[in-house]
Amino acid sequence: MTANSRCSAAEPPGLETQRREIESLLRQCELRAGDSWYVVERRWYEQWKGFVETGDQNSSSFPGQIDNTELFEDLDSYHLKERLVENEDFMLVPAEAWHKLLAWYGMVDGQPPLERKVVDLPSTLKVEVYPVEIFLCLHSNMENVITSQFSRADNIQSIQKAICEAFSVPPGSECRLWMKSSDSSCERLRNIHMSVLDACLSSGMTVIMETRNADGTWPSSRPQIMRNSVEEQDSYRGQPGVCGLTNLGNTCFMNSALQCLSNTAPLTEYFLQSSYLEELNFTNPLGMKGEIAEAYADVIKQMWSGRHYSVVPRVFKTKVGHFASQFLGYQQHDSQELLSFLLDGLHEDLNRVKNKEYIELRDADGRPDQEVAEEAWRNHRRRNDSVIVDTFHGLFKSTLVCPECHKVSVTFDPFCYLSVPLPVSKERVMEVFFVSLDPYAKPAQHRVVVPKAGKVSDLCSALSEMTGIPPTQMVVADVFNHRFYKIYNTDESLSCILDRDDIFVYELSVLEEQQEEQVLLALYLRERSHYRDYGSGSSSYGTTLFGHPLLLSVPRSSCSREALYNLFLQRLARYVRPPDPSEELEEEEEEEEEEEEEELYKTQTNGVSDDEEQEVAEKAGPSQTEPCDGDASANRQSDGTATAEPVPAVNHTQPSLDHGDSETSNGSQNQTEPLCNANANTDDIDPCGTTDPTDPTDPGSEPPAEQPQQPCDTTEEDKQEEACSPSPPANEQPAKRRSCRKRRKSLFTIQAVNSNGTTERGSGEGGSAVSFSSQPYVAIDWDPEMKKRFYNENEAEKYVKHASMEVPQQQTTVQLQECIELFTTVETLEEENPWYCPVCKKHQLATKKLDLWSLPEVLIIHLKRFSYTKFTREKLDSIVEFPLRELDFSGCLLRKNLSNGEPPSRYDLIAVSNHYGGLRDGHYTSYACNKDNGQWYYFDDSKVTYAREDQIVTNAAYVLFYHRQDKIRKPTLPAPNTSPASSTQPANSTTSCKDDDSTEPGTASYVTMETD
């Protein structure tokens, strides 16, 4: 019976019966959300009511057909008039009463029934007389708009169906809806199962529908796509899945994880077939309202459209940062951590369980493992049911044993990936420089093996075996930027020393009679600038640290300036040439000038060079200098005189000095007035101040001007220094002459400084040049001209390599099976993570053992290369040998007896996430096998190249993806031709336009890795 049909019954029931039935329905019917009620014009209803009350079938008050004409604005659109009032303009009758009235009296031809739904408003139930009137259109043609009415109780899916029907959208098209309000802002209508009321849709709003493009993008938010050329925008056709991901700034970790998941066939096909749309969970409090799943689906559909050379995953990165604040910004992160978050986020967004029930976990209590495992898996699936659980979740058995009461606790826990440890060596290889007490011996680089958890004393003992020097005569220091970053005590842990630190071990002198106290003196070298710092308002000279600092053991009584001068001169004899008798080193001793200079010394401050301020992040050491003719030359060199000669006035055999030199970069210094005479001897001095080129006492007696330049070892910085600090040739006479009393001039002056070598300190008591209230630091300040003539930078930077450096380091190789066995070995819980024993009623350091019970379809194995303990932080670079095929877990599974219905336990490799670099920096890439053609590819951000199977196993392998053999689908496409003739460009480039940054397929395994 149609809505406007007349009653087909012969006669309606009696009037009294009609009245009784309708009034009974009106009294008994309660408003229930979603029920239908109908609007009836009040005049007609009152007339019907009077008619049935008379009891006369032939009464003139017969109402006739139901007529709602007075309620409509016009009879064309049948829109209700505004501001109609219930019980004054219309009456509301329940659906059952309406159908009875309609059957008895019929309805005026052409008029629609005014059906209205009961909606559940925040505070009450109400019949919705005025439904929501919404404008509908397509994104592709927003000029063509239609109007439709929807109840607030209708869901968004009904709007989507109405648009598809109105605009003839092809069935199966993937659509999404946008809600546009009057202020032009648009908002996604994500949950199509949400009601119009909950979606906050109101009359006058527009709903726009768009359909996904063939390349996986959406018309409304077409992402940035990297293409080889503008013409390629629509012409690029490549193998689906062979698509790069642009590095947005330190996002290689994310790209690597996405490429591995993208090539996990079950998950990718689930998204490509749009199966996720029906399983999006918008109400899960643990989820991300479906946003992570939708963002991931967009990336996958773009990558597998075959129409993109590279995709920019900016929207996905933004979503990840929004829901996981640790991934905000553009810092480097761990690909496994991102993978863990993503799998968990996808699981919660796609969880088919909408309301998780509370389940109390039970202990095994002696029950059979099979029974406990099945119960644990059922309980897990009652709360967690998604494609992630179907694909990636397995089960392992956890056994805890109390060490006191021997209570055994057995539980079965699900896992999404296996984090397996690598066998860790208890020893560590360190490279250090040993500085001998012999001033003419170059520093020697040694490679020593020490305990990882050892102390500095262990380092000294290991070095003692190589050098024959007792460990008690050694002191260890970290040299950075021409100064001591730290001087270590023997009981300090070696974990404080990083592999990149420049460690120097100095030999200390020992007096025969230990009656006098020895002082450990730290010596810096500084160069004064030519110009005073007039801008600062003081008369100070700037200073710059250079060369290698030294550590010397000095008798406390020998700390006068004159004694230290002679000691330093002797200690630096290898690269500091003392003046010979034919050279003049004199200065005027006018009373006035001395007073002025003394005052200058008192008021001057230390200027720090710009070079030092900029060098905040780099250390310099012999390990960073290039060897030249067997020796490592200095980072900074000058063309001063070449070789040091013995100090004529100092007894070389006296063991009163401490250490050899060590290498460093540059720093800062100060100029000071000469504070002591150069030598007690009054040698004859040539008044011209020149050096005799043929002097037989000077082994390196070549004039500086004839000293060959070494451009390969001279930095730009040195060139600038030399340019702005000209030193006249040694055979050029000084321009000025004064006929006054002369005295011997020092090569350098001595100044007590702080540990940075920048702030000068006062002298000690009793004429000592240093104060002993704390670790004494002393700087010797060089005038640029004196440094040019007497300090040989080239010689100072040289070092030799001990035989231990020539022994090649063995690359540690372990089998993946060893790592898995290590994962299942018994371990004792740490103090920070005890177990509460229900019998002892206290926390215990129980023993724990994990065993594999059941494995998933796709097994993710995380190699724990980053080791963090209380003592050490390191990355393990061991090569883990893992099979590409036939990884058999049958020997590792605790459940040996598999029934016929149980899956096998053999796996094939499908993807690898790689990490190159160390703890603080590095680069992530990935290898993956395409599910369609079976070809391996190397993914390095936006670059994709072919890969060979023999390139995949490296010491960079970090996360492994294995697919169970019974679930692997055979490739549907033939493998591409990867011969040299056809592989001269990246796998994701086009023949019409090559990528300039491409790498050849054959070089995929040794691509130069850029550090993010």
Side-chain angles (χ1 to χ4, degrees):
M1 183 181 294
T2 59
N4 57 352
S5 64
R6 301 295 301 266
C7 178
S8 59
E11 287 292 336
L15 298 183
E16 181 62 25
T17 305
Q18 293 183 35
R19 181 184 67 80
R20 190 169 55 251
E21 288 184 8
I22 298 299
E23 287 182 354
S24 174
L25 288 172
L26 289 174
R27 280 195 308 269
Q28 295 174 5
C29 274
E30 297 179 356
L31 295 180
R32 287 194 302 269
D35 284 357
S36 293
W37 285 60
Y38 287 80
V39 177
V40 179
E41 200 266 329
R42 181 174 176 272
R43 183 193 56 79
W44 184 91
Y45 182 79
E46 291 296 335
Q47 190 171 350
W48 168 82
K49 193 175 179 183
F51 172 65
V52 295
E53 285 176 352
T54 63
D56 184 2
Q57 291 277 7
N58 300 315
S59 171
S60 60
S61 60
F62 178 72
Q65 293 178 311
I66 301 173
D67 186 3
N68 290 328
T69 304
E70 295 297 322
L71 300 180
F72 298 119
E73 283 186 349
D74 58 76
L75 297 179
D76 295 327
S77 64
Y78 290 108
H79 280 176
L80 283 182
K81 293 179 179 178
E82 297 291 332
R83 300 183 182 87
L84 295 177
V85 180
E86 184 180 0
N87 297 329
E88 289 186 12
D89 300 308
F90 63 88
M91 304 296 293
L92 289 173
V93 296
E96 190 176 351
W98 164 261
H99 289 304
K100 286 181 180 293
L101 291 174
L102 184 63
W104 298 335
Y105 298 96
M107 196 168 187
V108 173
D109 290 339
Q111 285 190 10
L114 297 177
E115 181 185 8
R116 296 296 185 259
K117 293 290 182 71
V118 178
V119 293
D120 188 1
L121 297 177
S123 57
T124 183
L125 289 170
K126 186 178 180 181
V127 177
E128 183 185 41
V129 177
Y130 290 97
V132 179
E133 192 171 87
I134 300 174
F135 301 107
L136 309 177
C137 66
L138 293 178
H139 182 272
S140 57
N141 184 10
M142 297 179 66
E143 301 298 323
N144 184 13
V145 180
I146 65 170
T147 305
S148 186
Q149 291 185 341
F150 298 93
S151 167
R152 290 172 177 80
D154 289 340
N155 58 26
I156 303 300
Q157 192 170 24
S158 62
I159 300 179
Q160 180 173 309
K161 288 180 180 177
I163 299 178
C164 290
E165 292 173 3
F167 295 102
S168 303
V169 175
S173 300
E174 188 175 349
C175 312
R176 64 181 187 181
L177 302 179
W178 294 84
M179 175 176 67
K180 181 175 179 292
S181 58
S182 57
D183 61 356
S184 300
S185 63
C186 287
E187 183 181 343
R188 271 284 310 280
L189 294 170
R190 298 181 181 278
N191 188 356
I192 60 173
H193 303 293
M194 182 182 287
S195 68
V196 171
L197 176 65
D198 292 336
C200 301
L201 274 169
S202 57
S203 295
M205 287 187 172
T206 303
V207 173
I208 306 167
M209 189 174 81
E210 59 175 341
T211 55
R212 192 188 288 273
N213 296 325
D215 65 354
T217 60
W218 292 101
S220 62
S221 56
R222 188 176 181 84
Q224 298 167 280
I225 305 296
M226 283 187 58
R227 303 184 187 271
N228 292 335
S229 68
V230 178
E231 293 77 12
E232 191 202 331
Q233 292 278 337
D234 299 313
S235 63
Y236 180 83
R237 294 294 183 273
Q239 171 63 40
V242 183
C243 175
L245 291 168
T246 303
N247 192 323
L248 305 174
N250 282 339
T251 58
C252 58
F253 73 96
M254 181 182 78
N255 295 346
S256 175
L258 283 176
Q259 291 288 8
C260 291
L261 278 182
S262 167
N263 287 279
T264 301
L267 187 64
T268 295
E269 289 170 358
Y270 171 86
F271 279 97
L272 292 180
Q273 294 165 5
S274 299
S275 303
Y276 71 98
L277 291 174
E278 293 301 317
E279 297 185 347
L280 286 171
N281 190 331
F282 299 98
T283 59
N284 188 352
L286 300 178
M288 290 82 177
K289 312 302 179 193
E291 292 187 39
I292 286 292
E294 287 187 333
Y296 178 77
D298 286 348
V299 173
I300 292 299
K301 293 199 173 189
Q302 292 168 38
M303 292 174 66
W304 286 84
S305 67
R307 301 184 180 222
H308 303 310
Y309 166 80
S310 181
V311 171
V312 183
R314 193 178 304 280
V315 174
F316 178 80
K317 167 71 174 63
T318 303
K319 294 292 184 186
V320 168
H322 175 71
F323 290 106
S325 58
Q326 67 267 32
F327 297 114
L328 274 174
Y330 296 93
Q331 301 298 316
Q332 181 63 280
H333 293 283
D334 189 304
S335 68
Q336 187 271 332
E337 291 178 5
L338 185 278
L339 187 66
S340 175
F341 161 77
L342 182 54
L343 289 175
D344 187 58
L346 290 175
H347 161 63
E348 297 296 355
D349 270 2
L350 300 169
N351 198 346
R352 302 173 188 118
V353 179
K354 299 300 187 276
N355 297 305
K356 296 188 178 184
E357 57 181 309
Y358 173 75
I359 299 173
E360 187 172 352
L361 300 179
R362 297 171 55 198
D363 198 74
D365 288 332
R367 292 181 293 160
D369 284 352
Q370 183 74 26
E371 178 186 337
V372 181
E374 290 175 357
E375 178 186 81
W377 186 248
R378 280 197 309 271
N379 290 340
H380 179 60
R381 293 303 295 254
R382 283 163 65 185
R383 292 174 55 87
N384 304 278
D385 184 15
S386 70
V387 65
I388 302 299
V389 176
D390 299 342
T391 309
F392 296 100
H393 282 207
L395 201 65
F396 61 70
K397 176 186 176 183
S398 173
T399 307
L400 289 165
V401 180
C402 177
E404 193 170 311
C405 69
H406 303 293
K407 157 73 176 174
V408 179
S409 173
V410 175
T411 56
F412 286 81
D413 302 304
F415 66 86
C416 190
Y417 52 86
L418 293 180
S419 286
V420 298
L422 272 63
V424 179
S425 171
K426 294 184 179 180
E427 294 182 331
R428 168 187 180 186
V429 176
M430 295 183 67
E431 294 182 2
V432 299
F433 294 88
F434 177 71
V435 182
S436 169
L437 201 56
D438 180 4
Y440 292 95
K442 298 182 180 71
Q445 187 180 22
H446 290 72
R447 184 177 286 156
V448 294
V449 180
V450 294
K452 268 187 182 175
K455 299 184 180 300
V456 172
S457 56
D458 296 318
L459 172 60
C460 295
S461 299
L463 195 58
S464 175
E465 295 179 8
M466 293 185 178
T467 60
I469 305 299
T472 54
Q473 287 179 239
M474 295 181 183
V475 62
V476 180
D478 182 356
V479 175
F480 169 58
N481 211 16
H482 308 287
R483 56 173 66 92
F484 291 115
Y485 182 76
K486 183 172 184 180
I487 300 173
Y488 293 98
N489 296 320
T490 54
D491 59 347
E492 290 192 67
S493 173
L494 288 176
S495 61
C496 302
I497 301 176
L498 304 180
D499 289 338
R500 69 169 185 270
D501 292 342
D502 292 316
I503 302 301
F504 286 76
V505 182
Y506 297 89
E507 180 187 357
L508 301 181
S509 60
V510 178
L511 294 181
E512 294 180 2
E513 298 180 3
Q514 293 288 346
Q515 298 176 353
E516 190 174 357
E517 182 184 353
Q518 297 281 98
V519 176
L520 185 63
L521 194 63
L523 174 65
Y524 294 154
L525 285 74
R526 306 193 302 181
E527 180 179 2
R528 289 190 288 260
S529 65
H530 274 288
Y531 307 103
R532 294 183 180 180
D533 187 7
Y534 293 105
S536 66
S538 66
S539 303
S540 64
Y541 286 89
T543 57
T544 306
L545 286 169
F546 71 93
H548 304 310
L550 295 176
L551 283 173
L552 305 90
S553 182
V554 184
R556 187 159 187 164
S557 61
S558 303
C559 289
S560 66
R561 294 187 184 276
E562 184 172 349
L564 290 180
Y565 182 90
N566 293 332
L567 179 61
F568 295 163
L569 203 59
Q570 176 189 357
R571 193 67 189 88
L572 306 175
R574 183 169 61 88
Y575 45 88
V576 173
R577 181 179 63 83
D580 59 56
S582 63
E583 290 179 299
E584 174 190 355
L585 286 175
E586 58 185 19
E587 60 182 350
E588 300 171 0
E589 206 176 38
E590 295 180 354
E591 297 298 327
E592 293 180 11
E593 199 153 327
E594 266 197 11
E595 290 175 6
E596 290 176 7
E597 296 265 2
E598 199 67 39
E599 188 64 30
L600 165 63
Y601 164 69
K602 292 176 183 176
T603 60
Q604 71 182 341
T605 61
N606 284 288
V608 181
S609 73
D610 293 337
D611 292 339
E612 180 197 352
E613 293 175 0
Q614 293 168 4
E615 290 186 46
V616 292
E618 289 197 25
K619 296 187 179 183
S623 58
Q624 288 151 316
T625 59
E626 291 295 328
C628 184
D629 297 330
D631 291 319
S633 302
N635 287 343
R636 303 177 54 222
Q637 296 181 3
S638 66
D639 41 353
T641 50
T643 323
E645 63 179 2
V647 182
V650 180
N651 182 5
H652 175 59
T653 60
Q654 206 171 10
S656 58
L657 54 111
D658 254 342
H659 319 300
D661 56 23
S662 49
E663 100 158 1
T664 18
S665 297
N666 39 10
S668 62
Q669 270 79 342
N670 245 332
Q671 168 184 353
T672 56
E673 152 87 359
L675 300 175
C676 58
N677 292 332
N679 212 312
N681 295 357
T682 56
D683 298 335
D684 294 335
I685 293 179
D686 183 353
C688 296
T690 59
T691 303
D692 182 4
T694 61
D695 183 4
T697 63
D698 184 3
S701 57
E702 253 184 87
E706 298 175 13
Q707 178 76 10
Q709 296 281 344
Q710 306 216 12
C712 64
D713 295 313
T714 303
T715 63
E716 198 62 36
E717 181 182 302
D718 302 326
K719 296 175 184 175
Q720 293 172 1
E721 255 186 36
E722 292 171 11
C724 65
S725 306
S727 174
N731 58 1
E732 179 180 331
Q733 289 197 3
K736 286 192 174 183
R737 288 257 170 222
R738 297 198 181 183
S739 55
C740 51
R741 195 159 54 88
K742 311 284 184 181
R743 72 174 180 185
R744 181 71 177 269
K745 185 178 181 181
S746 305
L747 293 180
F748 47 78
T749 58
I750 301 174
Q751 174 64 51
V753 294
N754 65 354
S755 61
N756 287 328
T758 54
T759 305
E760 297 178 357
R761 294 183 170 181
S763 302
E765 300 176 0
S768 172
V770 294
S771 170
F772 304 110
S773 59
S774 60
Q775 168 66 51
Y777 291 84
V778 170
I780 57 175
D781 291 348
W782 290 77
D783 181 78
E785 181 180 344
M786 301 294 280
K787 176 174 176 284
K788 193 84 167 178
R789 293 172 60 188
F790 297 101
Y791 182 87
N792 186 345
E793 287 196 63
N794 185 23
E795 182 65 29
E797 298 293 338
K798 289 182 178 179
Y799 71 101
V800 296
K801 290 191 176 184
H802 185 261
S804 60
M805 295 295 296
E806 307 303 326
V807 179
Q809 288 185 272
Q810 294 290 332
Q811 176 70 59
T812 309
T813 302
V814 297
Q815 299 296 320
L816 179 60
Q817 204 66 27
E818 295 177 51
C819 302
I820 296 171
E821 289 172 2
L822 202 58
F823 173 78
T824 57
T825 54
V826 178
E827 61 177 356
T828 302
L829 297 179
E830 297 180 349
E831 293 182 4
E832 297 82 10
N833 187 29
W835 169 67
Y836 183 80
C837 176
V839 177
C840 301
K841 303 296 184 184
K842 62 180 180 179
H843 288 90
Q844 298 280 16
L845 299 182
T847 58
K848 181 178 181 180
K849 187 178 190 307
L850 296 177
D851 292 290
L852 298 176
W853 181 263
S854 63
L855 297 176
E857 176 182 346
V858 175
L859 177 62
I860 301 175
I861 300 178
H862 164 224
L863 304 177
K864 296 169 72 171
R865 290 196 177 275
F866 298 100
S867 172
Y868 301 97
T869 68
K870 289 185 288 187
F871 306 104
T872 59
R873 295 174 69 248
E874 62 178 333
K875 184 196 172 188
L876 306 175
D877 284 322
S878 308
I879 292 181
V880 178
E881 294 279 0
F882 51 89
L884 271 64
R885 295 180 183 84
E886 300 290 338
L887 174 61
D888 190 358
F889 276 93
S890 56
C892 304
L893 282 175
L894 194 63
R895 181 175 47 176
K896 304 294 183 185
N897 301 325
L898 298 179
S899 62
N900 293 333
E902 296 291 342
S905 55
R906 293 181 182 273
Y907 288 80
D908 288 353
L909 188 73
I910 55 171
V912 180
S913 174
N914 303 309
H915 178 267
Y916 301 87
L919 283 172
R920 301 193 178 186
D921 52 25
H923 184 58
Y924 286 93
T925 65
S926 54
Y927 288 106
C929 180
N930 187 276
K931 69 182 181 68
D932 291 338
N933 62 15
Q935 170 66 39
W936 280 91
Y937 294 92
Y938 180 69
F939 298 89
D940 183 2
D941 289 334
S942 58
K943 294 192 284 279
V944 185
T945 51
Y946 295 109
R948 300 190 309 271
E949 292 188 354
D950 59 0
Q951 298 172 325
I952 295 170
V953 179
T954 68
N955 65 346
Y958 184 43
V959 183
L960 313 177
F961 285 68
Y962 279 95
H963 200 173
R964 204 169 61 216
Q965 287 183 343
D966 66 312
K967 292 289 187 177
I968 296 178
R969 189 190 65 186
K970 291 183 179 180
T972 56
L973 300 174
N977 181 10
T978 58
S979 64
S982 65
S983 59
T984 56
Q985 56 189 352
N988 58 339
S989 72
T990 58
T991 54
S992 60
C993 185
K994 295 182 181 179
D995 176 28
D996 294 337
D997 297 329
S998 65
T999 56
E1000 294 187 8
T1003 64
S1005 63
Y1006 46 90
V1007 175
T1008 301
M1009 293 303 163
E1010 54 199 58
T1011 300
D1012 284 340

